PDB file of all heavy atoms in Angstrom:
ATOM      1  N   PHE A   1     211.164  74.567 115.464  1.00  0.00           N
ATOM      2  CA  PHE A   1     211.831  73.483 116.180  1.00  0.00           C
ATOM      3  C   PHE A   1     212.118  73.861 117.626  1.00  0.00           C
ATOM      4  O   PHE A   1     211.924  73.059 118.541  1.00  0.00           O
ATOM      5  CB  PHE A   1     213.132  73.103 115.468  1.00  0.00           C
ATOM      6  CG  PHE A   1     212.924  72.396 114.163  1.00  0.00           C
ATOM      7  CD1 PHE A   1     212.799  73.114 112.986  1.00  0.00           C
ATOM      8  CD2 PHE A   1     212.825  71.026 114.111  1.00  0.00           C
ATOM      9  CE1 PHE A   1     212.594  72.471 111.779  1.00  0.00           C
ATOM     10  CE2 PHE A   1     212.621  70.361 112.916  1.00  0.00           C
ATOM     11  CZ  PHE A   1     212.506  71.089 111.740  1.00  0.00           C
ATOM     12  N   TRP A   2     212.565  75.094 117.865  1.00  0.00           N
ATOM     13  CA  TRP A   2     213.002  75.497 119.196  1.00  0.00           C
ATOM     14  C   TRP A   2     211.848  75.930 120.091  1.00  0.00           C
ATOM     15  O   TRP A   2     211.853  75.676 121.287  1.00  0.00           O
ATOM     16  CB  TRP A   2     214.015  76.629 119.088  1.00  0.00           C
ATOM     17  CG  TRP A   2     215.319  76.167 118.539  1.00  0.00           C
ATOM     18  CD1 TRP A   2     215.727  76.202 117.230  1.00  0.00           C
ATOM     19  CD2 TRP A   2     216.389  75.564 119.260  1.00  0.00           C
ATOM     20  NE1 TRP A   2     216.975  75.656 117.108  1.00  0.00           N
ATOM     21  CE2 TRP A   2     217.408  75.261 118.340  1.00  0.00           C
ATOM     22  CE3 TRP A   2     216.579  75.259 120.613  1.00  0.00           C
ATOM     23  CZ2 TRP A   2     218.603  74.661 118.724  1.00  0.00           C
ATOM     24  CZ3 TRP A   2     217.769  74.664 120.995  1.00  0.00           C
ATOM     25  CH2 TRP A   2     218.763  74.377 120.057  1.00  0.00           C
ATOM     26  N   GLN A   3     210.865  76.589 119.513  1.00  0.00           N
ATOM     27  CA  GLN A   3     209.831  77.208 120.346  1.00  0.00           C
ATOM     28  C   GLN A   3     208.444  76.614 120.133  1.00  0.00           C
ATOM     29  O   GLN A   3     207.629  76.619 121.040  1.00  0.00           O
ATOM     30  CB  GLN A   3     209.786  78.714 120.072  1.00  0.00           C
ATOM     31  CG  GLN A   3     208.916  79.493 121.040  1.00  0.00           C
ATOM     32  CD  GLN A   3     209.118  80.983 120.925  1.00  0.00           C
ATOM     33  OE1 GLN A   3     210.160  81.438 120.503  1.00  0.00           O
ATOM     34  NE2 GLN A   3     208.116  81.750 121.285  1.00  0.00           N
ATOM     35  N   LEU A   4     208.159  76.094 118.937  1.00  0.00           N
ATOM     36  CA  LEU A   4     206.803  75.681 118.599  1.00  0.00           C
ATOM     37  C   LEU A   4     206.690  74.188 118.331  1.00  0.00           C
ATOM     38  O   LEU A   4     205.766  73.744 117.655  1.00  0.00           O
ATOM     39  CB  LEU A   4     206.301  76.498 117.401  1.00  0.00           C
ATOM     40  CG  LEU A   4     206.241  78.010 117.677  1.00  0.00           C
ATOM     41  CD1 LEU A   4     205.904  78.774 116.409  1.00  0.00           C
ATOM     42  CD2 LEU A   4     205.229  78.329 118.768  1.00  0.00           C
ATOM     43  N   GLN A   5     207.654  73.416 118.825  1.00  0.00           N
ATOM     44  CA  GLN A   5     207.550  71.951 118.876  1.00  0.00           C
ATOM     45  C   GLN A   5     207.348  71.336 117.489  1.00  0.00           C
ATOM     46  O   GLN A   5     206.439  70.549 117.258  1.00  0.00           O
ATOM     47  CB  GLN A   5     206.401  71.545 119.807  1.00  0.00           C
ATOM     48  CG  GLN A   5     206.458  72.231 121.165  1.00  0.00           C
ATOM     49  CD  GLN A   5     205.085  72.499 121.749  1.00  0.00           C
ATOM     50  OE1 GLN A   5     204.140  72.783 121.019  1.00  0.00           O
ATOM     51  NE2 GLN A   5     204.963  72.421 123.056  1.00  0.00           N
ATOM     52  N   GLY A   6     208.246  71.686 116.574  1.00  0.00           N
ATOM     53  CA  GLY A   6     208.075  71.275 115.189  1.00  0.00           C
ATOM     54  C   GLY A   6     208.503  69.866 114.861  1.00  0.00           C
ATOM     55  O   GLY A   6     207.997  69.260 113.914  1.00  0.00           O
ATOM     56  N   SER A   7     209.447  69.299 115.608  1.00  0.00           N
ATOM     57  CA  SER A   7     210.024  68.028 115.174  1.00  0.00           C
ATOM     58  C   SER A   7     209.079  66.843 115.201  1.00  0.00           C
ATOM     59  O   SER A   7     209.287  65.885 114.433  1.00  0.00           O
ATOM     60  CB  SER A   7     211.277  67.711 116.001  1.00  0.00           C
ATOM     61  OG  SER A   7     210.967  67.454 117.359  1.00  0.00           O
ATOM     62  N   PRO A   8     208.022  66.782 116.042  1.00  0.00           N
ATOM     63  CA  PRO A   8     207.157  65.597 116.017  1.00  0.00           C
ATOM     64  C   PRO A   8     206.460  65.322 114.687  1.00  0.00           C
ATOM     65  O   PRO A   8     205.959  64.220 114.495  1.00  0.00           O
ATOM     66  CB  PRO A   8     206.140  65.892 117.128  1.00  0.00           C
ATOM     67  CG  PRO A   8     206.913  66.712 118.114  1.00  0.00           C
ATOM     68  CD  PRO A   8     207.750  67.609 117.244  1.00  0.00           C
ATOM     69  N   VAL A   9     206.416  66.282 113.777  1.00  0.00           N
ATOM     70  CA  VAL A   9     205.875  65.984 112.444  1.00  0.00           C
ATOM     71  C   VAL A   9     206.857  65.147 111.627  1.00  0.00           C
ATOM     72  O   VAL A   9     206.486  64.534 110.629  1.00  0.00           O
ATOM     73  CB  VAL A   9     205.519  67.286 111.691  1.00  0.00           C
ATOM     74  CG1 VAL A   9     206.774  68.018 111.215  1.00  0.00           C
ATOM     75  CG2 VAL A   9     204.618  66.994 110.489  1.00  0.00           C
ATOM     76  N   LEU A  10     208.119  65.080 112.091  1.00  0.00           N
ATOM     77  CA  LEU A  10     209.159  64.374 111.355  1.00  0.00           C
ATOM     78  C   LEU A  10     209.557  63.049 111.972  1.00  0.00           C
ATOM     79  O   LEU A  10     210.128  62.196 111.287  1.00  0.00           O
ATOM     80  CB  LEU A  10     210.412  65.262 111.247  1.00  0.00           C
ATOM     81  CG  LEU A  10     210.238  66.626 110.576  1.00  0.00           C
ATOM     82  CD1 LEU A  10     211.548  67.409 110.634  1.00  0.00           C
ATOM     83  CD2 LEU A  10     209.775  66.458 109.135  1.00  0.00           C
ATOM     84  N   THR A  11     209.292  62.860 113.274  1.00  0.00           N
ATOM     85  CA  THR A  11     209.788  61.666 113.969  1.00  0.00           C
ATOM     86  C   THR A  11     208.693  61.000 114.785  1.00  0.00           C
ATOM     87  O   THR A  11     207.625  61.579 115.022  1.00  0.00           O
ATOM     88  CB  THR A  11     210.947  62.018 114.920  1.00  0.00           C
ATOM     89  OG1 THR A  11     210.420  62.617 116.122  1.00  0.00           O
ATOM     90  CG2 THR A  11     211.935  62.979 114.288  1.00  0.00           C
ATOM     91  N   ASP A  12     209.006  59.798 115.248  1.00  0.00           N
ATOM     92  CA  ASP A  12     208.116  59.143 116.204  1.00  0.00           C
ATOM     93  C   ASP A  12     208.172  59.879 117.540  1.00  0.00           C
ATOM     94  O   ASP A  12     208.990  60.781 117.738  1.00  0.00           O
ATOM     95  CB  ASP A  12     208.482  57.669 116.356  1.00  0.00           C
ATOM     96  CG  ASP A  12     209.823  57.469 117.049  1.00  0.00           C
ATOM     97  OD1 ASP A  12     210.706  58.342 116.916  1.00  0.00           O
ATOM     98  OD2 ASP A  12     209.999  56.446 117.727  1.00  0.00           O
ATOM     99  N   ALA A  13     207.300  59.486 118.456  1.00  0.00           N
ATOM    100  CA  ALA A  13     207.157  60.212 119.719  1.00  0.00           C
ATOM    101  C   ALA A  13     208.424  60.216 120.554  1.00  0.00           C
ATOM    102  O   ALA A  13     208.660  61.148 121.328  1.00  0.00           O
ATOM    103  CB  ALA A  13     206.002  59.624 120.530  1.00  0.00           C
ATOM    104  N   ASP A  14     209.264  59.195 120.403  1.00  0.00           N
ATOM    105  CA  ASP A  14     210.488  59.094 121.196  1.00  0.00           C
ATOM    106  C   ASP A  14     211.714  59.660 120.495  1.00  0.00           C
ATOM    107  O   ASP A  14     212.801  59.673 121.073  1.00  0.00           O
ATOM    108  CB  ASP A  14     210.737  57.630 121.565  1.00  0.00           C
ATOM    109  CG  ASP A  14     209.647  57.073 122.463  1.00  0.00           C
ATOM    110  OD1 ASP A  14     209.297  57.756 123.447  1.00  0.00           O
ATOM    111  OD2 ASP A  14     209.139  55.978 122.180  1.00  0.00           O
ATOM    112  N   GLY A  15     211.550  60.119 119.262  1.00  0.00           N
ATOM    113  CA  GLY A  15     212.674  60.691 118.546  1.00  0.00           C
ATOM    114  C   GLY A  15     213.706  59.671 118.095  1.00  0.00           C
ATOM    115  O   GLY A  15     214.881  60.000 117.971  1.00  0.00           O
ATOM    116  N   PHE A  16     213.270  58.454 117.808  1.00  0.00           N
ATOM    117  CA  PHE A  16     214.188  57.400 117.374  1.00  0.00           C
ATOM    118  C   PHE A  16     214.130  57.142 115.876  1.00  0.00           C
ATOM    119  O   PHE A  16     215.097  56.677 115.277  1.00  0.00           O
ATOM    120  CB  PHE A  16     213.874  56.084 118.101  1.00  0.00           C
ATOM    121  CG  PHE A  16     214.135  56.120 119.580  1.00  0.00           C
ATOM    122  CD1 PHE A  16     213.378  55.343 120.445  1.00  0.00           C
ATOM    123  CD2 PHE A  16     215.131  56.933 120.120  1.00  0.00           C
ATOM    124  CE1 PHE A  16     213.607  55.370 121.811  1.00  0.00           C
ATOM    125  CE2 PHE A  16     215.365  56.969 121.483  1.00  0.00           C
ATOM    126  CZ  PHE A  16     214.600  56.190 122.333  1.00  0.00           C
ATOM    127  N   THR A  17     212.974  57.434 115.250  1.00  0.00           N
ATOM    128  CA  THR A  17     212.752  57.042 113.865  1.00  0.00           C
ATOM    129  C   THR A  17     212.145  58.187 113.074  1.00  0.00           C
ATOM    130  O   THR A  17     211.243  58.883 113.557  1.00  0.00           O
ATOM    131  CB  THR A  17     211.794  55.832 113.804  1.00  0.00           C
ATOM    132  OG1 THR A  17     212.302  54.783 114.630  1.00  0.00           O
ATOM    133  CG2 THR A  17     211.632  55.328 112.375  1.00  0.00           C
ATOM    134  N   ASP A  18     212.623  58.361 111.838  1.00  0.00           N
ATOM    135  CA  ASP A  18     212.027  59.330 110.926  1.00  0.00           C
ATOM    136  C   ASP A  18     210.686  58.798 110.422  1.00  0.00           C
ATOM    137  O   ASP A  18     210.553  57.613 110.104  1.00  0.00           O
ATOM    138  CB  ASP A  18     212.936  59.574 109.720  1.00  0.00           C
ATOM    139  CG  ASP A  18     214.279  60.178 110.108  1.00  0.00           C
ATOM    140  OD1 ASP A  18     214.275  61.184 110.826  1.00  0.00           O
ATOM    141  OD2 ASP A  18     215.321  59.635 109.679  1.00  0.00           O
ATOM    142  N   LEU A  19     209.688  59.668 110.342  1.00  0.00           N
ATOM    143  CA  LEU A  19     208.387  59.284 109.803  1.00  0.00           C
ATOM    144  C   LEU A  19     208.396  59.354 108.281  1.00  0.00           C
ATOM    145  O   LEU A  19     209.047  60.228 107.689  1.00  0.00           O
ATOM    146  CB  LEU A  19     207.290  60.205 110.341  1.00  0.00           C
ATOM    147  CG  LEU A  19     207.026  60.178 111.846  1.00  0.00           C
ATOM    148  CD1 LEU A  19     205.889  61.144 112.189  1.00  0.00           C
ATOM    149  CD2 LEU A  19     206.694  58.776 112.323  1.00  0.00           C
ATOM    150  N   VAL A  20     207.666  58.453 107.655  1.00  0.00           N
ATOM    151  CA  VAL A  20     207.465  58.491 106.204  1.00  0.00           C
ATOM    152  C   VAL A  20     206.265  59.389 105.933  1.00  0.00           C
ATOM    153  O   VAL A  20     205.194  59.205 106.526  1.00  0.00           O
ATOM    154  CB  VAL A  20     207.223  57.074 105.646  1.00  0.00           C
ATOM    155  CG1 VAL A  20     206.930  57.138 104.155  1.00  0.00           C
ATOM    156  CG2 VAL A  20     208.432  56.180 105.920  1.00  0.00           C
ATOM    157  N   GLN A  21     206.434  60.360 105.044  1.00  0.00           N
ATOM    158  CA  GLN A  21     205.378  61.334 104.777  1.00  0.00           C
ATOM    159  C   GLN A  21     204.482  60.861 103.637  1.00  0.00           C
ATOM    160  O   GLN A  21     204.913  60.115 102.758  1.00  0.00           O
ATOM    161  CB  GLN A  21     205.992  62.695 104.440  1.00  0.00           C
ATOM    162  CG  GLN A  21     206.920  63.232 105.508  1.00  0.00           C
ATOM    163  CD  GLN A  21     206.260  63.398 106.876  1.00  0.00           C
ATOM    164  OE1 GLN A  21     205.042  63.594 106.965  1.00  0.00           O
ATOM    165  NE2 GLN A  21     207.054  63.318 107.945  1.00  0.00           N
ATOM    166  N   PRO A  22     203.217  61.284 103.625  1.00  0.00           N
ATOM    167  CA  PRO A  22     202.304  60.897 102.545  1.00  0.00           C
ATOM    168  C   PRO A  22     202.798  61.384 101.182  1.00  0.00           C
ATOM    169  O   PRO A  22     203.512  62.395 101.085  1.00  0.00           O
ATOM    170  CB  PRO A  22     200.992  61.588 102.931  1.00  0.00           C
ATOM    171  CG  PRO A  22     201.100  61.865 104.390  1.00  0.00           C
ATOM    172  CD  PRO A  22     202.554  62.107 104.652  1.00  0.00           C
ATOM    173  N   ASP A  23     202.381  60.687 100.127  1.00  0.00           N
ATOM    174  CA  ASP A  23     202.817  61.041  98.776  1.00  0.00           C
ATOM    175  C   ASP A  23     202.310  62.411  98.343  1.00  0.00           C
ATOM    176  O   ASP A  23     202.934  63.067  97.500  1.00  0.00           O
ATOM    177  CB  ASP A  23     202.332  59.990  97.778  1.00  0.00           C
ATOM    178  CG  ASP A  23     203.021  58.642  97.954  1.00  0.00           C
ATOM    179  OD1 ASP A  23     204.114  58.610  98.563  1.00  0.00           O
ATOM    180  OD2 ASP A  23     202.460  57.628  97.500  1.00  0.00           O
ATOM    181  N   ASN A  24     201.182  62.845  98.897  1.00  0.00           N
ATOM    182  CA  ASN A  24     200.611  64.135  98.500  1.00  0.00           C
ATOM    183  C   ASN A  24     201.152  65.295  99.334  1.00  0.00           C
ATOM    184  O   ASN A  24     200.623  66.403  99.246  1.00  0.00           O
ATOM    185  CB  ASN A  24     199.086  64.107  98.621  1.00  0.00           C
ATOM    186  CG  ASN A  24     198.621  63.983 100.064  1.00  0.00           C
ATOM    187  OD1 ASN A  24     199.068  63.102 100.798  1.00  0.00           O
ATOM    188  ND2 ASN A  24     197.728  64.873 100.485  1.00  0.00           N
ATOM    189  N   ALA A  25     202.208  65.053 100.108  1.00  0.00           N
ATOM    190  CA  ALA A  25     202.724  66.087 101.012  1.00  0.00           C
ATOM    191  C   ALA A  25     204.215  66.306 100.810  1.00  0.00           C
ATOM    192  O   ALA A  25     204.962  65.379 100.464  1.00  0.00           O
ATOM    193  CB  ALA A  25     202.454  65.709 102.462  1.00  0.00           C
ATOM    194  N   ARG A  26     204.621  67.541 101.036  1.00  0.00           N
ATOM    195  CA  ARG A  26     206.031  67.908 101.097  1.00  0.00           C
ATOM    196  C   ARG A  26     206.237  68.768 102.341  1.00  0.00           C
ATOM    197  O   ARG A  26     205.380  69.591 102.694  1.00  0.00           O
ATOM    198  CB  ARG A  26     206.475  68.713  99.866  1.00  0.00           C
ATOM    199  CG  ARG A  26     206.321  67.992  98.534  1.00  0.00           C
ATOM    200  CD  ARG A  26     207.334  66.876  98.369  1.00  0.00           C
ATOM    201  NE  ARG A  26     207.298  66.333  97.019  1.00  0.00           N
ATOM    202  CZ  ARG A  26     206.467  65.379  96.605  1.00  0.00           C
ATOM    203  NH1 ARG A  26     205.575  64.874  97.454  1.00  0.00           N
ATOM    204  NH2 ARG A  26     206.501  64.947  95.361  1.00  0.00           N
ATOM    205  N   ILE A  27     207.382  68.586 102.987  1.00  0.00           N
ATOM    206  CA  ILE A  27     207.741  69.407 104.143  1.00  0.00           C
ATOM    207  C   ILE A  27     209.074  70.086 103.830  1.00  0.00           C
ATOM    208  O   ILE A  27     210.034  69.426 103.409  1.00  0.00           O
ATOM    209  CB  ILE A  27     207.860  68.575 105.427  1.00  0.00           C
ATOM    210  CG1 ILE A  27     206.558  67.814 105.688  1.00  0.00           C
ATOM    211  CG2 ILE A  27     208.181  69.474 106.621  1.00  0.00           C
ATOM    212  CD1 ILE A  27     206.593  66.924 106.916  1.00  0.00           C
ATOM    213  N   TYR A  28     209.121  71.386 104.042  1.00  0.00           N
ATOM    214  CA  TYR A  28     210.322  72.165 103.737  1.00  0.00           C
ATOM    215  C   TYR A  28     210.774  72.927 104.989  1.00  0.00           C
ATOM    216  O   TYR A  28     209.997  73.679 105.580  1.00  0.00           O
ATOM    217  CB  TYR A  28     210.049  73.152 102.606  1.00  0.00           C
ATOM    218  CG  TYR A  28     209.642  72.486 101.309  1.00  0.00           C
ATOM    219  CD1 TYR A  28     208.322  72.574 100.851  1.00  0.00           C
ATOM    220  CD2 TYR A  28     210.553  71.763 100.542  1.00  0.00           C
ATOM    221  CE1 TYR A  28     207.933  71.973  99.665  1.00  0.00           C
ATOM    222  CE2 TYR A  28     210.170  71.152  99.354  1.00  0.00           C
ATOM    223  CZ  TYR A  28     208.861  71.261  98.919  1.00  0.00           C
ATOM    224  OH  TYR A  28     208.480  70.653  97.739  1.00  0.00           O
ATOM    225  N   TYR A  29     212.017  72.702 105.346  1.00  0.00           N
ATOM    226  CA  TYR A  29     212.635  73.425 106.463  1.00  0.00           C
ATOM    227  C   TYR A  29     213.486  74.545 105.896  1.00  0.00           C
ATOM    228  O   TYR A  29     214.385  74.320 105.087  1.00  0.00           O
ATOM    229  CB  TYR A  29     213.481  72.457 107.290  1.00  0.00           C
ATOM    230  CG  TYR A  29     214.550  73.087 108.153  1.00  0.00           C
ATOM    231  CD1 TYR A  29     214.259  74.113 109.049  1.00  0.00           C
ATOM    232  CD2 TYR A  29     215.876  72.634 108.090  1.00  0.00           C
ATOM    233  CE1 TYR A  29     215.238  74.680 109.833  1.00  0.00           C
ATOM    234  CE2 TYR A  29     216.860  73.185 108.870  1.00  0.00           C
ATOM    235  CZ  TYR A  29     216.552  74.221 109.739  1.00  0.00           C
ATOM    236  OH  TYR A  29     217.542  74.777 110.515  1.00  0.00           O
ATOM    237  N   TYR A  30     213.193  75.779 106.303  1.00  0.00           N
ATOM    238  CA  TYR A  30     213.945  76.953 105.870  1.00  0.00           C
ATOM    239  C   TYR A  30     215.128  77.123 106.825  1.00  0.00           C
ATOM    240  O   TYR A  30     214.977  77.648 107.933  1.00  0.00           O
ATOM    241  CB  TYR A  30     213.065  78.204 105.901  1.00  0.00           C
ATOM    242  CG  TYR A  30     211.661  78.023 105.350  1.00  0.00           C
ATOM    243  CD1 TYR A  30     210.542  78.393 106.117  1.00  0.00           C
ATOM    244  CD2 TYR A  30     211.426  77.491 104.085  1.00  0.00           C
ATOM    245  CE1 TYR A  30     209.249  78.263 105.630  1.00  0.00           C
ATOM    246  CE2 TYR A  30     210.138  77.348 103.592  1.00  0.00           C
ATOM    247  CZ  TYR A  30     209.050  77.735 104.375  1.00  0.00           C
ATOM    248  OH  TYR A  30     207.769  77.590 103.889  1.00  0.00           O
ATOM    249  N   ALA A  31     216.283  76.691 106.404  1.00  0.00           N
ATOM    250  CA  ALA A  31     217.431  76.548 107.296  1.00  0.00           C
ATOM    251  C   ALA A  31     217.840  77.866 107.939  1.00  0.00           C
ATOM    252  O   ALA A  31     217.923  78.911 107.286  1.00  0.00           O
ATOM    253  CB  ALA A  31     218.615  75.970 106.525  1.00  0.00           C
ATOM    254  N   SER A  32     218.104  77.795 109.244  1.00  0.00           N
ATOM    255  CA  SER A  32     218.679  78.900 110.028  1.00  0.00           C
ATOM    256  C   SER A  32     217.845  80.168 109.981  1.00  0.00           C
ATOM    257  O   SER A  32     218.379  81.277 110.005  1.00  0.00           O
ATOM    258  CB  SER A  32     220.113  79.197 109.564  1.00  0.00           C
ATOM    259  OG  SER A  32     220.965  78.112 109.855  1.00  0.00           O
ATOM    260  N   THR A  33     216.528  80.020 109.937  1.00  0.00           N
ATOM    261  CA  THR A  33     215.651  81.188 109.916  1.00  0.00           C
ATOM    262  C   THR A  33     214.840  81.276 111.201  1.00  0.00           C
ATOM    263  O   THR A  33     214.646  80.296 111.906  1.00  0.00           O
ATOM    264  CB  THR A  33     214.662  81.115 108.734  1.00  0.00           C
ATOM    265  OG1 THR A  33     213.886  79.920 108.841  1.00  0.00           O
ATOM    266  CG2 THR A  33     215.392  81.135 107.406  1.00  0.00           C
ATOM    267  N   GLN A  34     214.355  82.487 111.475  1.00  0.00           N
ATOM    268  CA  GLN A  34     213.390  82.694 112.541  1.00  0.00           C
ATOM    269  C   GLN A  34     211.988  82.682 111.946  1.00  0.00           C
ATOM    270  O   GLN A  34     211.812  82.458 110.743  1.00  0.00           O
ATOM    271  CB  GLN A  34     213.665  84.000 113.271  1.00  0.00           C
ATOM    272  CG  GLN A  34     213.482  85.235 112.399  1.00  0.00           C
ATOM    273  CD  GLN A  34     213.773  86.531 113.132  1.00  0.00           C
ATOM    274  OE1 GLN A  34     214.339  86.553 114.210  1.00  0.00           O
ATOM    275  NE2 GLN A  34     213.391  87.655 112.535  1.00  0.00           N
ATOM    276  N   HIS A  35     210.981  82.949 112.761  1.00  0.00           N
ATOM    277  CA  HIS A  35     209.574  82.765 112.395  1.00  0.00           C
ATOM    278  C   HIS A  35     209.100  83.718 111.301  1.00  0.00           C
ATOM    279  O   HIS A  35     208.093  83.461 110.645  1.00  0.00           O
ATOM    280  CB  HIS A  35     208.725  82.944 113.651  1.00  0.00           C
ATOM    281  CG  HIS A  35     207.323  82.464 113.524  1.00  0.00           C
ATOM    282  ND1 HIS A  35     206.986  81.142 113.329  1.00  0.00           N
ATOM    283  CD2 HIS A  35     206.128  83.132 113.576  1.00  0.00           C
ATOM    284  CE1 HIS A  35     205.672  81.007 113.273  1.00  0.00           C
ATOM    285  NE2 HIS A  35     205.129  82.203 113.420  1.00  0.00           N
ATOM    286  N   GLY A  36     209.773  84.809 111.110  1.00  0.00           N
ATOM    287  CA  GLY A  36     209.395  85.772 110.083  1.00  0.00           C
ATOM    288  C   GLY A  36     210.371  86.929 110.061  1.00  0.00           C
ATOM    289  O   GLY A  36     211.291  87.004 110.869  1.00  0.00           O
ATOM    290  N   GLY A  37     210.176  87.835 109.121  1.00  0.00           N
ATOM    291  CA  GLY A  37     211.047  89.003 109.047  1.00  0.00           C
ATOM    292  C   GLY A  37     211.669  89.161 107.672  1.00  0.00           C
ATOM    293  O   GLY A  37     211.675  88.241 106.848  1.00  0.00           O
ATOM    294  N   ALA A  38     212.208  90.356 107.448  1.00  0.00           N
ATOM    295  CA  ALA A  38     212.740  90.704 106.129  1.00  0.00           C
ATOM    296  C   ALA A  38     214.107  90.117 105.856  1.00  0.00           C
ATOM    297  O   ALA A  38     214.515  89.973 104.707  1.00  0.00           O
ATOM    298  CB  ALA A  38     212.798  92.230 105.994  1.00  0.00           C
ATOM    299  N   GLY A  39     214.844  89.762 106.913  1.00  0.00           N
ATOM    300  CA  GLY A  39     216.208  89.301 106.725  1.00  0.00           C
ATOM    301  C   GLY A  39     217.137  90.461 106.388  1.00  0.00           C
ATOM    302  O   GLY A  39     216.740  91.631 106.335  1.00  0.00           O
ATOM    303  N   GLY A  40     218.424  90.136 106.176  1.00  0.00           N
ATOM    304  CA  GLY A  40     219.413  91.175 105.884  1.00  0.00           C
ATOM    305  C   GLY A  40     219.942  91.811 107.157  1.00  0.00           C
ATOM    306  O   GLY A  40     219.276  91.807 108.202  1.00  0.00           O
TER     307      GLY A  40
END
């Protein structure tokens, strides 16, 4: 979201409306995480 422009997969171009996703797709946001790493 912060560095790699992730939100346009979820909203319209102006950021006013949530997009409806296809039935064969799921999108999962891993809350409060960075791009990779072991954590801890």
